[in-house]
Amino acid sequence: MKALLKEFNEFFDRYLTTWNSCSIDELSAMFSKELVICYAYPNNRVTLGTLDDACESWKNQYDYYRDRNPKWHFNIVQVTPVDEDKVMAIFWVSHSSDNILYDKVCMYVETFAKNNGNWSLLRSYSEIAIPMKYVFE
């Protein structure tokens, strides 16, 4: 399992760096074709989606923040194997643009799978727009 985690962590570092590249092509290349996403919002609205939905969502985010110097900041809670070829990562994400840190954070629980020697995001669950004051006091 140590070798699996070492290899995964190298991929995961690239994955998180890619968030900040603002390149939907680079990020979506790290998504599984079978990707399933779930976004839970504060008003109890839940959105489920697939690869196409995830790509569209990220494209919209990148387009919205394109000229505003966006940066996503990560606080890793845990990374653990959940199968012989799968790893789950739990992490908080905060966001800034134009050097202003927003007062909301998101919690991500993501499962990655290794297929044919390559890692990809298989499932993503996120709690969206949690007030930071409740998380990082």
Side-chain angles (χ1 to χ4, degrees), residues 99-134:
N99 295 317
I100 299 169
L101 184 63
Y102 292 97
D103 65 348
K104 304 276 195 265
V105 295
C106 300
M107 167 58 85
Y108 281 82
V109 178
E110 297 193 325
T111 302
F112 299 83
K114 184 178 178 186
N115 291 309
N116 299 321
N118 297 309
W119 287 98
S120 62
L121 177 62
L122 183 62
R123 290 186 295 273
S124 179
Y125 171 80
S126 59
E127 291 277 342
I128 305 293
I130 300 168
M132 192 178 289
K133 68 181 181 181
Y134 297 119

PDB file of all heavy atoms in Angstrom, residues 99-134:
ATOM      1  N   ASN A  99      -6.470  38.405  -5.426  1.00  0.00           N
ATOM      2  CA  ASN A  99      -5.821  38.387  -4.100  1.00  0.00           C
ATOM      3  C   ASN A  99      -6.774  38.607  -2.933  1.00  0.00           C
ATOM      4  O   ASN A  99      -6.354  39.010  -1.859  1.00  0.00           O
ATOM      5  CB  ASN A  99      -4.669  39.394  -4.051  1.00  0.00           C
ATOM      6  CG  ASN A  99      -3.560  39.010  -5.003  1.00  0.00           C
ATOM      7  OD1 ASN A  99      -3.193  37.842  -5.077  1.00  0.00           O
ATOM      8  ND2 ASN A  99      -3.047  39.966  -5.741  1.00  0.00           N
ATOM      9  N   ILE A 100      -8.057  38.328  -3.135  1.00  0.00           N
ATOM     10  CA  ILE A 100      -9.049  38.411  -2.062  1.00  0.00           C
ATOM     11  C   ILE A 100      -9.563  37.007  -1.779  1.00  0.00           C
ATOM     12  O   ILE A 100     -10.089  36.335  -2.676  1.00  0.00           O
ATOM     13  CB  ILE A 100     -10.221  39.340  -2.454  1.00  0.00           C
ATOM     14  CG1 ILE A 100      -9.703  40.754  -2.703  1.00  0.00           C
ATOM     15  CG2 ILE A 100     -11.308  39.325  -1.384  1.00  0.00           C
ATOM     16  CD1 ILE A 100     -10.723  41.677  -3.342  1.00  0.00           C
ATOM     17  N   LEU A 101      -9.393  36.575  -0.523  1.00  0.00           N
ATOM     18  CA  LEU A 101      -9.841  35.244  -0.123  1.00  0.00           C
ATOM     19  C   LEU A 101     -11.338  35.287   0.183  1.00  0.00           C
ATOM     20  O   LEU A 101     -11.798  36.116   0.966  1.00  0.00           O
ATOM     21  CB  LEU A 101      -9.075  34.771   1.112  1.00  0.00           C
ATOM     22  CG  LEU A 101      -9.361  33.356   1.607  1.00  0.00           C
ATOM     23  CD1 LEU A 101      -8.952  32.315   0.559  1.00  0.00           C
ATOM     24  CD2 LEU A 101      -8.625  33.111   2.921  1.00  0.00           C
ATOM     25  N   TYR A 102     -12.090  34.397  -0.462  1.00  0.00           N
ATOM     26  CA  TYR A 102     -13.530  34.326  -0.216  1.00  0.00           C
ATOM     27  C   TYR A 102     -13.799  33.712   1.149  1.00  0.00           C
ATOM     28  O   TYR A 102     -12.979  32.948   1.660  1.00  0.00           O
ATOM     29  CB  TYR A 102     -14.228  33.527  -1.320  1.00  0.00           C
ATOM     30  CG  TYR A 102     -14.209  34.237  -2.644  1.00  0.00           C
ATOM     31  CD1 TYR A 102     -13.240  33.924  -3.596  1.00  0.00           C
ATOM     32  CD2 TYR A 102     -15.131  35.238  -2.937  1.00  0.00           C
ATOM     33  CE1 TYR A 102     -13.197  34.594  -4.817  1.00  0.00           C
ATOM     34  CE2 TYR A 102     -15.091  35.910  -4.148  1.00  0.00           C
ATOM     35  CZ  TYR A 102     -14.131  35.584  -5.078  1.00  0.00           C
ATOM     36  OH  TYR A 102     -14.084  36.247  -6.269  1.00  0.00           O
ATOM     37  N   ASP A 103     -14.944  34.013   1.728  1.00  0.00           N
ATOM     38  CA  ASP A 103     -15.266  33.545   3.077  1.00  0.00           C
ATOM     39  C   ASP A 103     -16.026  32.223   3.096  1.00  0.00           C
ATOM     40  O   ASP A 103     -16.599  31.844   4.100  1.00  0.00           O
ATOM     41  CB  ASP A 103     -16.051  34.608   3.844  1.00  0.00           C
ATOM     42  CG  ASP A 103     -17.420  34.889   3.244  1.00  0.00           C
ATOM     43  OD1 ASP A 103     -17.694  34.445   2.110  1.00  0.00           O
ATOM     44  OD2 ASP A 103     -18.230  35.555   3.919  1.00  0.00           O
ATOM     45  N   LYS A 104     -16.017  31.506   1.985  1.00  0.00           N
ATOM     46  CA  LYS A 104     -16.672  30.206   1.887  1.00  0.00           C
ATOM     47  C   LYS A 104     -15.629  29.152   1.505  1.00  0.00           C
ATOM     48  O   LYS A 104     -14.654  29.443   0.823  1.00  0.00           O
ATOM     49  CB  LYS A 104     -17.761  30.215   0.808  1.00  0.00           C
ATOM     50  CG  LYS A 104     -18.822  31.287   0.995  1.00  0.00           C
ATOM     51  CD  LYS A 104     -19.894  30.842   1.931  1.00  0.00           C
ATOM     52  CE  LYS A 104     -21.116  31.717   1.852  1.00  0.00           C
ATOM     53  NZ  LYS A 104     -21.181  32.773   2.811  1.00  0.00           N
ATOM     54  N   VAL A 105     -15.856  27.924   1.961  1.00  0.00           N
ATOM     55  CA  VAL A 105     -14.995  26.803   1.603  1.00  0.00           C
ATOM     56  C   VAL A 105     -15.860  25.651   1.106  1.00  0.00           C
ATOM     57  O   VAL A 105     -17.073  25.639   1.317  1.00  0.00           O
ATOM     58  CB  VAL A 105     -14.119  26.321   2.791  1.00  0.00           C
ATOM     59  CG1 VAL A 105     -13.136  27.398   3.203  1.00  0.00           C
ATOM     60  CG2 VAL A 105     -14.976  25.883   3.953  1.00  0.00           C
ATOM     61  N   CYS A 106     -15.226  24.703   0.472  1.00  0.00           N
ATOM     62  CA  CYS A 106     -15.901  23.490   0.012  1.00  0.00           C
ATOM     63  C   CYS A 106     -15.153  22.288   0.562  1.00  0.00           C
ATOM     64  O   CYS A 106     -13.926  22.296   0.653  1.00  0.00           O
ATOM     65  CB  CYS A 106     -15.916  23.417  -1.519  1.00  0.00           C
ATOM     66  SG  CYS A 106     -16.761  24.786  -2.303  1.00  0.00           S
ATOM     67  N   MET A 107     -15.898  21.252   0.920  1.00  0.00           N
ATOM     68  CA  MET A 107     -15.302  19.984   1.358  1.00  0.00           C
ATOM     69  C   MET A 107     -15.446  18.999   0.219  1.00  0.00           C
ATOM     70  O   MET A 107     -16.537  18.829  -0.328  1.00  0.00           O
ATOM     71  CB  MET A 107     -16.024  19.457   2.595  1.00  0.00           C
ATOM     72  CG  MET A 107     -15.707  18.012   2.942  1.00  0.00           C
ATOM     73  SD  MET A 107     -13.975  17.646   3.232  1.00  0.00           S
ATOM     74  CE  MET A 107     -13.832  18.071   4.947  1.00  0.00           C
ATOM     75  N   TYR A 108     -14.338  18.392  -0.165  1.00  0.00           N
ATOM     76  CA  TYR A 108     -14.347  17.398  -1.244  1.00  0.00           C
ATOM     77  C   TYR A 108     -13.984  16.025  -0.697  1.00  0.00           C
ATOM     78  O   TYR A 108     -13.055  15.888   0.106  1.00  0.00           O
ATOM     79  CB  TYR A 108     -13.333  17.766  -2.332  1.00  0.00           C
ATOM     80  CG  TYR A 108     -13.809  18.838  -3.264  1.00  0.00           C
ATOM     81  CD1 TYR A 108     -13.712  20.174  -2.913  1.00  0.00           C
ATOM     82  CD2 TYR A 108     -14.363  18.515  -4.496  1.00  0.00           C
ATOM     83  CE1 TYR A 108     -14.156  21.169  -3.766  1.00  0.00           C
ATOM     84  CE2 TYR A 108     -14.809  19.504  -5.357  1.00  0.00           C
ATOM     85  CZ  TYR A 108     -14.707  20.828  -4.977  1.00  0.00           C
ATOM     86  OH  TYR A 108     -15.154  21.800  -5.824  1.00  0.00           O
ATOM     87  N   VAL A 109     -14.718  15.032  -1.147  1.00  0.00           N
ATOM     88  CA  VAL A 109     -14.384  13.623  -0.935  1.00  0.00           C
ATOM     89  C   VAL A 109     -14.318  13.036  -2.337  1.00  0.00           C
ATOM     90  O   VAL A 109     -15.336  12.958  -3.035  1.00  0.00           O
ATOM     91  CB  VAL A 109     -15.449  12.896  -0.082  1.00  0.00           C
ATOM     92  CG1 VAL A 109     -15.093  11.423   0.071  1.00  0.00           C
ATOM     93  CG2 VAL A 109     -15.605  13.579   1.273  1.00  0.00           C
ATOM     94  N   GLU A 110     -13.112  12.684  -2.760  1.00  0.00           N
ATOM     95  CA  GLU A 110     -12.922  12.216  -4.129  1.00  0.00           C
ATOM     96  C   GLU A 110     -12.234  10.856  -4.142  1.00  0.00           C
ATOM     97  O   GLU A 110     -11.300  10.620  -3.371  1.00  0.00           O
ATOM     98  CB  GLU A 110     -12.118  13.228  -4.945  1.00  0.00           C
ATOM     99  CG  GLU A 110     -12.856  14.554  -5.080  1.00  0.00           C
ATOM    100  CD  GLU A 110     -12.280  15.489  -6.113  1.00  0.00           C
ATOM    101  OE1 GLU A 110     -11.030  15.517  -6.285  1.00  0.00           O
ATOM    102  OE2 GLU A 110     -13.070  16.196  -6.750  1.00  0.00           O
ATOM    103  N   THR A 111     -12.707  10.004  -5.024  1.00  0.00           N
ATOM    104  CA  THR A 111     -12.116   8.680  -5.198  1.00  0.00           C
ATOM    105  C   THR A 111     -11.466   8.609  -6.569  1.00  0.00           C
ATOM    106  O   THR A 111     -12.082   8.971  -7.574  1.00  0.00           O
ATOM    107  CB  THR A 111     -13.190   7.578  -5.061  1.00  0.00           C
ATOM    108  OG1 THR A 111     -13.790   7.703  -3.769  1.00  0.00           O
ATOM    109  CG2 THR A 111     -12.569   6.195  -5.206  1.00  0.00           C
ATOM    110  N   PHE A 112     -10.234   8.159  -6.571  1.00  0.00           N
ATOM    111  CA  PHE A 112      -9.445   8.046  -7.790  1.00  0.00           C
ATOM    112  C   PHE A 112      -9.147   6.574  -8.040  1.00  0.00           C
ATOM    113  O   PHE A 112      -8.953   5.802  -7.095  1.00  0.00           O
ATOM    114  CB  PHE A 112      -8.126   8.806  -7.641  1.00  0.00           C
ATOM    115  CG  PHE A 112      -8.305  10.275  -7.390  1.00  0.00           C
ATOM    116  CD1 PHE A 112      -8.552  10.753  -6.110  1.00  0.00           C
ATOM    117  CD2 PHE A 112      -8.230  11.181  -8.429  1.00  0.00           C
ATOM    118  CE1 PHE A 112      -8.719  12.111  -5.870  1.00  0.00           C
ATOM    119  CE2 PHE A 112      -8.395  12.541  -8.205  1.00  0.00           C
ATOM    120  CZ  PHE A 112      -8.646  13.004  -6.922  1.00  0.00           C
ATOM    121  N   ALA A 113      -9.104   6.197  -9.297  1.00  0.00           N
ATOM    122  CA  ALA A 113      -8.820   4.810  -9.671  1.00  0.00           C
ATOM    123  C   ALA A 113      -7.616   4.774 -10.606  1.00  0.00           C
ATOM    124  O   ALA A 113      -7.408   5.681 -11.411  1.00  0.00           O
ATOM    125  CB  ALA A 113     -10.026   4.186 -10.358  1.00  0.00           C
ATOM    126  N   LYS A 114      -6.874   3.688 -10.490  1.00  0.00           N
ATOM    127  CA  LYS A 114      -5.736   3.464 -11.385  1.00  0.00           C
ATOM    128  C   LYS A 114      -6.144   2.415 -12.407  1.00  0.00           C
ATOM    129  O   LYS A 114      -6.477   1.283 -12.053  1.00  0.00           O
ATOM    130  CB  LYS A 114      -4.530   2.982 -10.587  1.00  0.00           C
ATOM    131  CG  LYS A 114      -3.291   2.824 -11.417  1.00  0.00           C
ATOM    132  CD  LYS A 114      -2.134   2.395 -10.539  1.00  0.00           C
ATOM    133  CE  LYS A 114      -0.898   2.193 -11.381  1.00  0.00           C
ATOM    134  NZ  LYS A 114       0.201   1.648 -10.576  1.00  0.00           N
ATOM    135  N   ASN A 115      -6.158   2.817 -13.678  1.00  0.00           N
ATOM    136  CA  ASN A 115      -6.501   1.916 -14.779  1.00  0.00           C
ATOM    137  C   ASN A 115      -5.408   1.999 -15.827  1.00  0.00           C
ATOM    138  O   ASN A 115      -5.023   3.094 -16.233  1.00  0.00           O
ATOM    139  CB  ASN A 115      -7.840   2.304 -15.416  1.00  0.00           C
ATOM    140  CG  ASN A 115      -9.001   2.048 -14.478  1.00  0.00           C
ATOM    141  OD1 ASN A 115      -9.130   0.953 -13.941  1.00  0.00           O
ATOM    142  ND2 ASN A 115      -9.830   3.053 -14.264  1.00  0.00           N
ATOM    143  N   ASN A 116      -4.917   0.841 -16.255  1.00  0.00           N
ATOM    144  CA  ASN A 116      -3.867   0.779 -17.273  1.00  0.00           C
ATOM    145  C   ASN A 116      -2.681   1.675 -16.921  1.00  0.00           C
ATOM    146  O   ASN A 116      -2.113   2.350 -17.785  1.00  0.00           O
ATOM    147  CB  ASN A 116      -4.425   1.154 -18.651  1.00  0.00           C
ATOM    148  CG  ASN A 116      -5.511   0.205 -19.094  1.00  0.00           C
ATOM    149  OD1 ASN A 116      -5.421  -1.000 -18.877  1.00  0.00           O
ATOM    150  ND2 ASN A 116      -6.557   0.747 -19.696  1.00  0.00           N
ATOM    151  N   GLY A 117      -2.337   1.721 -15.635  1.00  0.00           N
ATOM    152  CA  GLY A 117      -1.178   2.487 -15.191  1.00  0.00           C
ATOM    153  C   GLY A 117      -1.416   3.963 -14.984  1.00  0.00           C
ATOM    154  O   GLY A 117      -0.495   4.682 -14.601  1.00  0.00           O
ATOM    155  N   ASN A 118      -2.649   4.446 -15.222  1.00  0.00           N
ATOM    156  CA  ASN A 118      -2.939   5.874 -15.096  1.00  0.00           C
ATOM    157  C   ASN A 118      -4.020   6.117 -14.043  1.00  0.00           C
ATOM    158  O   ASN A 118      -5.014   5.402 -13.982  1.00  0.00           O
ATOM    159  CB  ASN A 118      -3.417   6.445 -16.426  1.00  0.00           C
ATOM    160  CG  ASN A 118      -2.352   6.356 -17.488  1.00  0.00           C
ATOM    161  OD1 ASN A 118      -1.220   6.772 -17.281  1.00  0.00           O
ATOM    162  ND2 ASN A 118      -2.696   5.787 -18.626  1.00  0.00           N
ATOM    163  N   TRP A 119      -3.824   7.174 -13.254  1.00  0.00           N
ATOM    164  CA  TRP A 119      -4.806   7.574 -12.261  1.00  0.00           C
ATOM    165  C   TRP A 119      -5.828   8.509 -12.887  1.00  0.00           C
ATOM    166  O   TRP A 119      -5.489   9.313 -13.762  1.00  0.00           O
ATOM    167  CB  TRP A 119      -4.121   8.301 -11.110  1.00  0.00           C
ATOM    168  CG  TRP A 119      -3.333   7.395 -10.228  1.00  0.00           C
ATOM    169  CD1 TRP A 119      -1.988   7.172 -10.282  1.00  0.00           C
ATOM    170  CD2 TRP A 119      -3.842   6.576  -9.182  1.00  0.00           C
ATOM    171  NE1 TRP A 119      -1.630   6.264  -9.323  1.00  0.00           N
ATOM    172  CE2 TRP A 119      -2.749   5.879  -8.624  1.00  0.00           C
ATOM    173  CE3 TRP A 119      -5.120   6.360  -8.659  1.00  0.00           C
ATOM    174  CZ2 TRP A 119      -2.896   4.995  -7.568  1.00  0.00           C
ATOM    175  CZ3 TRP A 119      -5.261   5.476  -7.597  1.00  0.00           C
ATOM    176  CH2 TRP A 119      -4.166   4.806  -7.063  1.00  0.00           C
ATOM    177  N   SER A 120      -7.068   8.413 -12.423  1.00  0.00           N
ATOM    178  CA  SER A 120      -8.101   9.361 -12.863  1.00  0.00           C
ATOM    179  C   SER A 120      -9.155   9.498 -11.771  1.00  0.00           C
ATOM    180  O   SER A 120      -9.348   8.595 -10.948  1.00  0.00           O
ATOM    181  CB  SER A 120      -8.743   8.904 -14.179  1.00  0.00           C
ATOM    182  OG  SER A 120      -9.385   7.657 -14.011  1.00  0.00           O
ATOM    183  N   LEU A 121      -9.833  10.636 -11.786  1.00  0.00           N
ATOM    184  CA  LEU A 121     -10.909  10.902 -10.834  1.00  0.00           C
ATOM    185  C   LEU A 121     -12.125  10.091 -11.235  1.00  0.00           C
ATOM    186  O   LEU A 121     -12.628  10.217 -12.350  1.00  0.00           O
ATOM    187  CB  LEU A 121     -11.244  12.395 -10.823  1.00  0.00           C
ATOM    188  CG  LEU A 121     -12.403  12.823  -9.921  1.00  0.00           C
ATOM    189  CD1 LEU A 121     -12.095  12.520  -8.456  1.00  0.00           C
ATOM    190  CD2 LEU A 121     -12.681  14.316 -10.110  1.00  0.00           C
ATOM    191  N   LEU A 122     -12.603   9.268 -10.312  1.00  0.00           N
ATOM    192  CA  LEU A 122     -13.723   8.378 -10.579  1.00  0.00           C
ATOM    193  C   LEU A 122     -15.033   8.907  -9.984  1.00  0.00           C
ATOM    194  O   LEU A 122     -16.085   8.837 -10.613  1.00  0.00           O
ATOM    195  CB  LEU A 122     -13.417   6.993 -10.001  1.00  0.00           C
ATOM    196  CG  LEU A 122     -14.417   5.884 -10.236  1.00  0.00           C
ATOM    197  CD1 LEU A 122     -14.564   5.590 -11.730  1.00  0.00           C
ATOM    198  CD2 LEU A 122     -13.970   4.622  -9.494  1.00  0.00           C
ATOM    199  N   ARG A 123     -14.964   9.417  -8.740  1.00  0.00           N
ATOM    200  CA  ARG A 123     -16.142   9.958  -8.057  1.00  0.00           C
ATOM    201  C   ARG A 123     -15.746  11.216  -7.301  1.00  0.00           C
ATOM    202  O   ARG A 123     -14.667  11.286  -6.712  1.00  0.00           O
ATOM    203  CB  ARG A 123     -16.708   8.942  -7.054  1.00  0.00           C
ATOM    204  CG  ARG A 123     -17.354   7.749  -7.690  1.00  0.00           C
ATOM    205  CD  ARG A 123     -18.029   6.851  -6.659  1.00  0.00           C
ATOM    206  NE  ARG A 123     -17.095   6.238  -5.724  1.00  0.00           N
ATOM    207  CZ  ARG A 123     -16.456   5.094  -5.953  1.00  0.00           C
ATOM    208  NH1 ARG A 123     -16.622   4.456  -7.101  1.00  0.00           N
ATOM    209  NH2 ARG A 123     -15.642   4.589  -5.047  1.00  0.00           N
ATOM    210  N   SER A 124     -16.648  12.203  -7.306  1.00  0.00           N
ATOM    211  CA  SER A 124     -16.401  13.437  -6.572  1.00  0.00           C
ATOM    212  C   SER A 124     -17.678  13.867  -5.868  1.00  0.00           C
ATOM    213  O   SER A 124     -18.720  14.037  -6.497  1.00  0.00           O
ATOM    214  CB  SER A 124     -15.949  14.542  -7.532  1.00  0.00           C
ATOM    215  OG  SER A 124     -15.727  15.745  -6.822  1.00  0.00           O
ATOM    216  N   TYR A 125     -17.571  14.023  -4.545  1.00  0.00           N
ATOM    217  CA  TYR A 125     -18.677  14.543  -3.753  1.00  0.00           C
ATOM    218  C   TYR A 125     -18.182  15.819  -3.105  1.00  0.00           C
ATOM    219  O   TYR A 125     -17.076  15.852  -2.548  1.00  0.00           O
ATOM    220  CB  TYR A 125     -19.087  13.535  -2.668  1.00  0.00           C
ATOM    221  CG  TYR A 125     -20.076  14.123  -1.684  1.00  0.00           C
ATOM    222  CD1 TYR A 125     -21.424  14.207  -2.013  1.00  0.00           C
ATOM    223  CD2 TYR A 125     -19.655  14.628  -0.461  1.00  0.00           C
ATOM    224  CE1 TYR A 125     -22.333  14.780  -1.133  1.00  0.00           C
ATOM    225  CE2 TYR A 125     -20.553  15.193   0.418  1.00  0.00           C
ATOM    226  CZ  TYR A 125     -21.891  15.263   0.088  1.00  0.00           C
ATOM    227  OH  TYR A 125     -22.787  15.845   0.956  1.00  0.00           O
ATOM    228  N   SER A 126     -18.972  16.887  -3.161  1.00  0.00           N
ATOM    229  CA  SER A 126     -18.543  18.116  -2.494  1.00  0.00           C
ATOM    230  C   SER A 126     -19.710  18.836  -1.831  1.00  0.00           C
ATOM    231  O   SER A 126     -20.821  18.874  -2.359  1.00  0.00           O
ATOM    232  CB  SER A 126     -17.820  19.053  -3.460  1.00  0.00           C
ATOM    233  OG  SER A 126     -18.647  19.384  -4.529  1.00  0.00           O
ATOM    234  N   GLU A 127     -19.415  19.349  -0.645  1.00  0.00           N
ATOM    235  CA  GLU A 127     -20.305  20.246   0.076  1.00  0.00           C
ATOM    236  C   GLU A 127     -19.848  21.648  -0.312  1.00  0.00           C
ATOM    237  O   GLU A 127     -18.699  22.016  -0.092  1.00  0.00           O
ATOM    238  CB  GLU A 127     -20.171  20.048   1.590  1.00  0.00           C
ATOM    239  CG  GLU A 127     -20.694  18.720   2.085  1.00  0.00           C
ATOM    240  CD  GLU A 127     -22.202  18.726   2.300  1.00  0.00           C
ATOM    241  OE1 GLU A 127     -22.806  19.810   2.396  1.00  0.00           O
ATOM    242  OE2 GLU A 127     -22.778  17.629   2.362  1.00  0.00           O
ATOM    243  N   ILE A 128     -20.760  22.422  -0.883  1.00  0.00           N
ATOM    244  CA  ILE A 128     -20.408  23.703  -1.489  1.00  0.00           C
ATOM    245  C   ILE A 128     -20.757  24.872  -0.567  1.00  0.00           C
ATOM    246  O   ILE A 128     -21.798  24.864   0.086  1.00  0.00           O
ATOM    247  CB  ILE A 128     -21.172  23.874  -2.827  1.00  0.00           C
ATOM    248  CG1 ILE A 128     -20.908  22.694  -3.767  1.00  0.00           C
ATOM    249  CG2 ILE A 128     -20.867  25.210  -3.487  1.00  0.00           C
ATOM    250  CD1 ILE A 128     -19.509  22.595  -4.266  1.00  0.00           C
ATOM    251  N   ALA A 129     -19.894  25.891  -0.546  1.00  0.00           N
ATOM    252  CA  ALA A 129     -20.158  27.194   0.070  1.00  0.00           C
ATOM    253  C   ALA A 129     -20.440  27.112   1.570  1.00  0.00           C
ATOM    254  O   ALA A 129     -21.400  27.684   2.081  1.00  0.00           O
ATOM    255  CB  ALA A 129     -21.283  27.915  -0.662  1.00  0.00           C
ATOM    256  N   ILE A 130     -19.556  26.455   2.291  1.00  0.00           N
ATOM    257  CA  ILE A 130     -19.653  26.399   3.745  1.00  0.00           C
ATOM    258  C   ILE A 130     -18.958  27.645   4.298  1.00  0.00           C
ATOM    259  O   ILE A 130     -17.810  27.927   3.915  1.00  0.00           O
ATOM    260  CB  ILE A 130     -18.973  25.130   4.285  1.00  0.00           C
ATOM    261  CG1 ILE A 130     -19.640  23.887   3.700  1.00  0.00           C
ATOM    262  CG2 ILE A 130     -18.987  25.110   5.804  1.00  0.00           C
ATOM    263  CD1 ILE A 130     -18.871  22.607   3.933  1.00  0.00           C
ATOM    264  N   PRO A 131     -19.599  28.406   5.188  1.00  0.00           N
ATOM    265  CA  PRO A 131     -18.930  29.585   5.745  1.00  0.00           C
ATOM    266  C   PRO A 131     -17.620  29.192   6.451  1.00  0.00           C
ATOM    267  O   PRO A 131     -17.600  28.300   7.299  1.00  0.00           O
ATOM    268  CB  PRO A 131     -19.942  30.136   6.743  1.00  0.00           C
ATOM    269  CG  PRO A 131     -21.265  29.655   6.226  1.00  0.00           C
ATOM    270  CD  PRO A 131     -20.979  28.295   5.661  1.00  0.00           C
ATOM    271  N   MET A 132     -16.556  29.840   6.066  1.00  0.00           N
ATOM    272  CA  MET A 132     -15.231  29.521   6.580  1.00  0.00           C
ATOM    273  C   MET A 132     -15.158  29.645   8.102  1.00  0.00           C
ATOM    274  O   MET A 132     -14.447  28.892   8.764  1.00  0.00           O
ATOM    275  CB  MET A 132     -14.177  30.418   5.925  1.00  0.00           C
ATOM    276  CG  MET A 132     -12.760  29.968   6.169  1.00  0.00           C
ATOM    277  SD  MET A 132     -11.528  30.992   5.364  1.00  0.00           S
ATOM    278  CE  MET A 132     -11.788  30.566   3.651  1.00  0.00           C
ATOM    279  N   LYS A 133     -15.917  30.575   8.666  1.00  0.00           N
ATOM    280  CA  LYS A 133     -15.854  30.805  10.113  1.00  0.00           C
ATOM    281  C   LYS A 133     -16.241  29.562  10.916  1.00  0.00           C
ATOM    282  O   LYS A 133     -15.849  29.411  12.050  1.00  0.00           O
ATOM    283  CB  LYS A 133     -16.724  31.995  10.504  1.00  0.00           C
ATOM    284  CG  LYS A 133     -18.209  31.769  10.329  1.00  0.00           C
ATOM    285  CD  LYS A 133     -19.001  33.009  10.705  1.00  0.00           C
ATOM    286  CE  LYS A 133     -20.499  32.777  10.561  1.00  0.00           C
ATOM    287  NZ  LYS A 133     -21.228  33.984  10.907  1.00  0.00           N
ATOM    288  N   TYR A 134     -17.015  28.651  10.321  1.00  0.00           N
ATOM    289  CA  TYR A 134     -17.394  27.435  11.022  1.00  0.00           C
ATOM    290  C   TYR A 134     -16.359  26.327  10.891  1.00  0.00           C
ATOM    291  O   TYR A 134     -16.367  25.370  11.644  1.00  0.00           O
ATOM    292  CB  TYR A 134     -18.748  26.910  10.508  1.00  0.00           C
ATOM    293  CG  TYR A 134     -19.873  27.868  10.773  1.00  0.00           C
ATOM    294  CD1 TYR A 134     -20.601  28.400   9.712  1.00  0.00           C
ATOM    295  CD2 TYR A 134     -20.209  28.271  12.055  1.00  0.00           C
ATOM    296  CE1 TYR A 134     -21.626  29.292   9.936  1.00  0.00           C
ATOM    297  CE2 TYR A 134     -21.226  29.161  12.296  1.00  0.00           C
ATOM    298  CZ  TYR A 134     -21.934  29.672  11.229  1.00  0.00           C
ATOM    299  OH  TYR A 134     -22.949  30.561  11.457  1.00  0.00           O
TER     300      TYR A 134
END
